[in-house]
Amino acid sequence: MIAGKQYSLRRSDGITGFLFVLPAFILLLVFVFIPMAKAFYYSFNDYMLVSGSKTFVGLKNYADLLQDTKFLNSIKHTFYFAVIVIPVQTAIALGLALLVKPQFKYTGFFRTAFFVPVVISTAVAGTVFKLIYNRDFGLLNVLIGAVGIPKISLLSNADIAMNGVIILGIWKAAGFFMIVYLAGLNNIPQDLYESARVDGASKLQQFFYITLPLLKRTTAFIIIMTTIDAIKLSGIVFVLTSGGPNSSTETIVYFIYKTAFDQMQMGYASAAAFILFFMILIISVIQMLFLRSKVNY
């Protein structure tokens, strides 16, 4: 009798739990899984968005993409952005978190100031940085001119234009990851630092032997998120350079956008999107395997 009542309670809990997750599952099904399934189907078709004509072509779109110079260059630009941004942005975020962690009179002000770029819209930030990079009156050339360096036209030079995108990307996101690091720093027990001080450990030794190891999970999360954000980069490129000059700042997502909505080749763009999806999936899995930590504190 008791066993039957327990089974009934477990079944009732199961139904309640199912009803709680059902709305979220329906939303995911309608707005994520069904569109993904349709996009995957389109990736095997020669599908023009304007005419609506669809012709099944199998793996042709994928094969063409792997020989498309513009697509391959967009991958190269995206990885260049990621390789520079991941270490630099992570180091800056950690440095900012260490600066604003101690409680002093203006701590709140500095935390807010460093976080402001995160909440500024990409369109506004891109417009402001266009003015900063301007060769004739931009702040960048004023500063480098003060130390005797010749003026540069950052966004007009195909060899260095991506660096302008990188600077804006780091400035825009470092504040968010500073907050993540701040949460990680606050979770480290202060007892460990007090014990280290009693044993005569210097600040530098405390940083390398306590802070960095115990921030490993936080760092892993930040690196994975930064990698995904870097590979999905599009908004900053759209506002700042529109992929130019000479497609030198065209990233994968921007290539997909142009292919789908400028050239109306929805099947080709869908195939590129799924190549991007598998790239992010593989990189994320590899990073999680290498960066997973069993540290508990």
Side-chain angles (χ1 to χ4, degrees), residues 10-25:
R10 281 201 299 270
R11 190 179 175 189
S12 173
D13 288 346
I15 293 171
T16 304
F18 175 75
L19 290 175
F20 268 112
V21 300
L22 185 61
F25 177 74

Side-chain angles (χ1 to χ4, degrees), residues 97 100-103 106-116 175 178-179 182 186:
V100 299
K101 183 179 180 295
Q103 293 290 336
Y106 300 108
T107 297
F109 169 76
F110 283 109
R111 288 180 181 178
T112 305
F114 293 142
F115 191 74
V116 164
M178 174 198 74
I179 297 296
L182 206 52
N186 287 331

Side-chain angles (χ1 to χ4, degrees), residues 34 43 63 77 120 130 132 160 169 200 237 260 271:
I34 291 177
S43 72
H77 300 150
I120 292 177
K130 269 186 179 178
I132 291 173
I160 56 174
V237 172

Side-chain angles (χ1 to χ4, degrees), residues 12 38 48 76 95 132 136 148 157 162 164 166 206 226 235 250 261 265:
S12 173
K38 290 188 77 172
M48 296 301 293
K76 188 175 75 176
I132 291 173
D136 297 321
N157 187 336
M162 198 64 190
I166 288 172
Q206 292 174 36
T226 307
E250 191 170 290
F261 300 107
Q265 297 178 338

Side-chain angles (χ1 to χ4, degrees), residues 36-75:
M36 276 186 70
K38 290 188 77 172
F40 191 59
Y41 167 70
Y42 292 152
S43 72
F44 297 105
N45 287 269
D46 182 11
Y47 175 31
M48 296 301 293
L49 191 61
V50 176
S51 63
S53 62
K54 285 194 287 287
T55 307
F56 184 78
V57 292
L59 294 173
K60 184 176 181 301
N61 286 333
Y62 292 93
D64 289 347
L65 277 168
L66 296 179
Q67 298 175 5
D68 188 332
T69 308
K70 280 197 169 183
F71 178 67
L72 297 177
N73 282 337
S74 72
I75 293 176

Side-chain angles (χ1 to χ4, degrees), residues 95-152:
L96 293 177
L98 290 170
L99 281 175
V100 299
K101 183 179 180 295
Q103 293 290 336
F104 56 91
K105 189 176 180 181
Y106 300 108
T107 297
F109 169 76
F110 283 109
R111 288 180 181 178
T112 305
F114 293 142
F115 191 74
V116 164
V118 180
V119 297
I120 292 177
S121 79
T122 303
V124 172
T127 305
V128 170
F129 269 71
K130 269 186 179 178
L131 296 174
I132 291 173
Y133 293 153
N134 187 282
R135 190 178 189 282
D136 297 321
F137 54 81
L139 179 63
L140 176 67
N141 280 307
V142 171
L143 293 175
I144 64 175
V147 293
I149 299 174
K151 287 184 176 181
I152 57 171

Side-chain angles (χ1 to χ4, degrees), residues 94 181 184-185 188 210-220:
L94 177 58
Y181 263 130
L185 287 170
I188 299 176
I210 299 175
T211 306
L212 270 187
L214 295 184
L215 283 177
K216 191 174 178 182
R217 284 188 297 184
T218 307
T219 304

